[in-house]
Amino acid sequence: MLTLLRFWPDLVLSEANNGHREVSATIQPECFCKRSNPSVASPVHRLMQMTSTRAVRLNNLILALWERFLSIRKKDWEQSDYPVVIREHKFDTHFSSARFTQHRYVAYIVNWAVTGGGETPTDALRDLQLNFQAVRDRRKLEGMTMVRPGVNGPIEFAARELISLHPELSDDFIRRVLNLEWAWISDESSLWDFHTDDTNEKMLAKILEVYGVDVSDIESARLWEILNRIAADGWSADAAPGE
């Protein structure tokens, strides 16, 4: 039976000799944690954090190398062929939003930005499977090959063809409406991406105040559509404050 290294605070998938995957509990250094019980500001606490981080990195490296080695057996990879780690997260008590859900567990593919979340490890794995399948279907539709298990997956950015039609207005919008010095926005970006409120009312009011344009009827709230409306209303960089 082969069991991959397991380090606190992760849950990892181990591979048994029957070929099935199972979620295995982590091995926690209880004697060190419970007896020491260091304060957050102490050198011992910082040492624990550094040790934990290095252990996680080593664990991920070994897991990625192993799955990459196994991947040579086939060319049509499923989610179960990829190195997966499950981590437990503590809830942020200061965060409150009806639009977003804080997941207790997060499952992710090592070296690739494909994740899933849920209240249990099983829920997180199930969500990861759904997201993996969506990525796989999209790459197949676009004629792209799948990323080999264990290797670094590419960081893919959404298109910017539509948003780039108004570069000066885009920069002005980011500063005066989003209240940011800089932001990377694409054709998929919307007002929803820049706040945690239940509605876009505050943003819509800000756009009306800054540009004198009502965009509340743009249901998608996509930024490129909003910028097109503002530009069509006669916006000019020469007339913008601070230009």
Side-chain angles (χ1 to χ4, degrees), residues 13-31:
L13 294 182
S14 63
E15 184 160 350
N17 53 12
N18 58 7
H20 295 292
R21 299 291 181 90
E22 59 181 8
V23 178
S24 53
T26 57
I27 302 175
Q28 298 191 25
E30 296 182 0
C31 58

